[in-house]
Amino acid sequence: MESGLPGSLLPTPRSARKPKGEGYARRAEILAAAERIFVEHGYEGATIRKIADEVGLSSTALYMHFPDKAAILHEICRGAFETLIATHEGITAESAPADVRLRRMIEGYVRFGFDNPNAYRLTYLTRPVEAREGAETVAQETGFELFRSFTSVVEEGVATGRMKGDPRAIAQVIWASGHGIVSLMITKPYFDWVDRDELVRVQMDALFAGLLQS
């Protein structure tokens, strides 16, 4: 049956092919689509074809941007770490006491996780298959750089007498606490959580109260 609409007014399928080019914007579009598909279908269930269809490209055109889905996963993880590194650098340069900067840093982790749940899952909640395909490698490289910058501020806090304890243990406790609340809230949305901001505030108040010198 004819629709009665001129061809130019007919709905465009999601998989309609788009013009070549667009450089950085097109890569960002691919990465955003891949995040959703990796989380929805699992890394093994995601295919280049599914990702290409989501952004309206042929598989061949997508290969012009990324050689395979492992490269896409690697780029997603690298981008997440670089965003957090940039946040750290800005906070580290401030003149506030070390413990104040540390709290802002871990709150930045938490905020990133809630604002970017798909990228967070792929970067920090990786299964063995994702780890083998790039997530672990980038974590060992860029991720360690990120954690070292965090630890250096803890060391400053201990050296100046603001905090007490072993710097490595303190850094790991703060890091694990922040990631724990994000991981639980984004993977268990059905739990009867209190207001998210209130939950994070209470957690951080209790955590830092126990780490500061009295």
Side-chain angles (χ1 to χ4, degrees):
M1 181 177 180
E2 296 294 336
S3 67
L5 291 173
S8 61
L9 297 182
L10 289 174
T12 302
R14 184 177 64 179
S15 60
R17 302 304 177 213
K18 297 180 181 179
K20 294 182 180 179
E22 301 181 23
Y24 179 83
R26 176 48 55 87
R27 283 175 63 88
E29 187 180 6
I30 293 169
L31 292 171
E35 283 182 11
R36 295 190 298 271
I37 291 170
F38 285 153
V39 170
E40 181 179 351
H41 298 281
Y43 182 78
E44 293 167 302
T47 64
I48 289 293
R49 168 72 70 179
K50 286 178 181 176
I51 298 169
D53 284 347
E54 182 73 11
V55 295
L57 287 173
S58 67
S59 296
T60 300
L62 190 147
Y63 282 124
M64 295 175 64
H65 296 277
F66 296 98
D68 52 36
K69 67 179 183 179
I72 297 175
L73 176 62
H74 189 278
E75 183 67 12
I76 290 170
C77 296
R78 187 189 65 79
F81 284 127
E82 289 189 348
T83 297
L84 289 168
I85 286 172
T87 300
H88 273 205
E89 289 176 345
I91 295 172
T92 300
E94 295 175 358
S95 59
D99 56 288
V100 174
R101 283 178 281 142
L102 280 170
R103 178 159 178 165
R104 290 197 59 202
M105 283 178 170
I106 196 61
E107 288 173 345
Y109 269 113
V110 172
R111 186 164 50 252
F112 175 86
F114 288 139
D115 290 346
N116 305 275
N118 289 337
Y120 183 90
R121 283 173 182 260
L122 295 170
T123 303
Y124 287 105
L125 304 178
T126 49
R127 301 173 304 152
V129 63
E130 284 98 348
R132 289 195 304 271
E133 294 294 336
E136 185 174 294
T137 300
V138 73
Q140 290 173 336
E141 297 167 354
T142 315
F144 283 179
E145 177 187 346
L146 175 66
F147 189 71
R148 279 195 298 270
S149 70
F150 188 77
T151 303
S152 68
V153 182
V154 176
E155 292 170 345
E156 180 186 338
V158 172
T160 57
R162 295 279 299 182
M163 309 184 80
K164 56 187 177 183
D166 174 64
R168 288 186 69 236
I170 293 172
Q172 291 178 16
V173 164
I174 297 173
W175 182 82
S177 181
H179 283 298
I181 198 167
V182 176
S183 299
L184 282 171
M185 292 194 79
I186 68 175
T187 59
K188 303 291 186 288
Y190 49 81
F191 185 78
D192 186 22
W193 299 105
V194 299
D195 176 75
R196 189 177 77 189
D197 291 341
E198 176 67 6
L199 185 63
V200 172
R201 184 191 64 77
V202 171
Q203 180 199 40
M204 293 301 165
D205 284 350
L207 179 62
F208 279 85
L211 295 172
L212 293 175
Q213 289 280 18
S214 56

